[in-house]
Amino acid sequence: KEPTKEACDGIDNDCDGATDETSCDDDKPCTIDKCDPSAGCVHTALTEGASCEADNSVCTQNDTCVSGECVAGTLISCDDKNPCTHSKCDATLGCQQSNFDGGPCEDGNPCTVGDLCKNATCVAGAVKPCTAIQACKTGVCDASKGGACSFGLAVDGASCDDGSACSTGDACKGGACI
């Protein structure tokens, strides 16, 4: 006899010495497949909730059998809580992070502005400006006050403009422009 594809019939169709060994496989991980030569292929569902592999992906966990079908479980979280990386899951490699260079971030210092990501790290931006409205006053950002500007007197001798076109060499003294 010429070998043929194995069938559920009680005969060794493919002439390999085994009878009906692969003829009933339905390629479903949540069934037990058996051949009954008188009834044909019988597919019995595994117990509800039995573990299986639904999608050949390491990105899902707890794949389970439901009514004889393998259902993908929950997606794993790849978020590394770093605003300077992009996080994603590769079905084969698992969690992968890539740098988000140039992206905005917060360095935790309220006295810096324009913080940016570089090499997966948040780099401080420029110092927050605190411009005094009056001459001979200076402003500085106070991190202990949540980034509020604090104002004080300019150093005596610092140049200023008293607003009069008739004077030259104006300088600060005791917080006043003289």
Side-chain angles (χ1 to χ4, degrees), residues 4-173:
T4 60
K5 184 177 176 187
E6 195 68 49
C8 179
D9 57 7
I11 300 171
D12 180 13
N13 307 97
D14 60 3
C15 303
D16 67 352
T19 303
D20 302 330
E21 72 275 8
T22 60
S23 61
C24 289
D25 187 2
D26 63 1
D27 290 325
K28 292 183 178 181
C30 290
T31 60
I32 297 172
D33 307 315
K34 290 187 179 179
C35 172
D36 180 345
S38 60
C41 291
V42 178
H43 308 286
T44 307
L46 292 177
T47 307
E48 293 289 308
S51 181
C52 61
E53 179 54 55
D55 52 7
N56 293 319
S57 173
V58 297
C59 296
T60 58
Q61 59 187 2
N62 302 321
D63 298 353
T64 56
C65 295
V66 177
S67 301
E69 298 294 326
C70 189
V71 178
T74 56
L75 288 172
I76 62 171
S77 173
C78 290
D79 186 2
D80 63 358
K81 308 292 187 234
N82 181 346
C84 292
T85 60
H86 286 294
S87 302
K88 69 176 184 171
C89 190
D90 178 276
T92 304
L93 302 174
C95 290
Q96 304 289 304
Q97 275 76 33
S98 59
N99 291 350
F100 183 43
D101 286 352
C105 59
E106 176 52 57
D107 71 350
N109 182 346
C111 290
T112 59
V113 294
D115 306 333
L116 295 175
C117 295
K118 183 174 182 180
N119 296 325
T121 304
C122 189
V123 177
V127 175
K128 178 182 174 182
C130 289
T131 306
I133 298 171
Q134 299 172 341
C136 296
K137 302 282 183 181
T138 60
V140 64
C141 182
D142 189 342
S144 68
K145 294 182 179 175
C149 291
S150 297
F151 297 96
L153 302 179
V155 196
D156 282 352
S159 66
C160 61
D161 184 357
D162 65 3
S164 172
C166 295
S167 63
T168 59
D170 301 336
C172 294
K173 183 172 184 178

